[in-house]
Amino acid sequence: MPKIIIQNMNAVEFSADTKKNLLQNILNEPIDWLHSCGGKGKCTTCKMIVREGIENLTPKGSVEKSFSEQGKLSENERLACQCSFKQKIEEDKTLVICTAEENKLPHIDYSDC
């Protein structure tokens, strides 16, 4: 299984289920991750900054493209609820992400990204 590392959460690392989107994978761990719309792609609160491995994710769909056109997502940012690992990904691949600054939760001590 591919791995996800959340760099600014003290590099917490876990295996990902390729049948689930990234938000579902994160929430399956004991990790608090903001997702105000419930993972429906209606907001950008589950936005993540991708530091490494973006090529292993599914392409941006219409929701993410729309937010990109509005200037709410940059090239290296994705919505955790809207993307997943590509289906035919090698098991040893790693995705390194960070919580976006504007979506950090106040009760979590974040490390550097």
Side-chain angles (χ1 to χ4, degrees):
M1 297 180 106
K3 289 184 221 169
I4 298 173
I5 297 173
I6 306 176
Q7 188 174 343
N8 64 344
M9 289 184 143
N10 298 307
V12 65
E13 182 177 321
F14 54 94
S15 295
D17 181 345
T18 58
K19 293 181 177 80
K20 296 180 179 180
N21 68 37
L22 293 182
L23 180 61
Q24 292 166 329
N25 274 289
I26 292 167
L27 296 178
N28 280 344
E29 299 295 315
I31 297 170
D32 281 339
W33 193 273
L34 192 59
H35 57 292
S36 296
C37 72
K40 295 179 178 72
K42 304 282 185 199
C43 67
T44 59
T45 59
C46 69
K47 177 170 51 176
M48 59 187 183
I49 301 164
V50 181
R51 295 290 184 215
E52 184 180 315
I54 200 163
E55 70 278 1
N56 299 313
L57 299 177
T58 52
K60 286 184 179 179
S62 60
V63 170
E64 287 181 297
K65 286 178 182 175
S66 175
F67 282 123
S68 292
E69 290 166 3
Q70 296 171 41
K72 295 181 179 181
L73 283 180
S74 66
E75 194 65 33
N76 69 328
E77 294 175 333
R78 298 292 304 268
L79 298 181
C81 72
Q82 296 296 304
C83 65
S84 57
F85 280 103
K86 292 178 180 174
Q87 289 299 314
K88 297 191 185 243
I89 187 169
E90 295 174 32
E91 290 190 17
D92 64 342
K93 295 296 181 182
T94 300
L95 179 69
V96 180
I97 62 172
C98 293
T99 306
E101 189 66 36
E102 64 271 23
N103 298 333
K104 289 182 175 178
L105 296 167
H107 65 282
I108 295 176
D109 290 324
Y110 293 90
S111 52
D112 291 333
C113 183

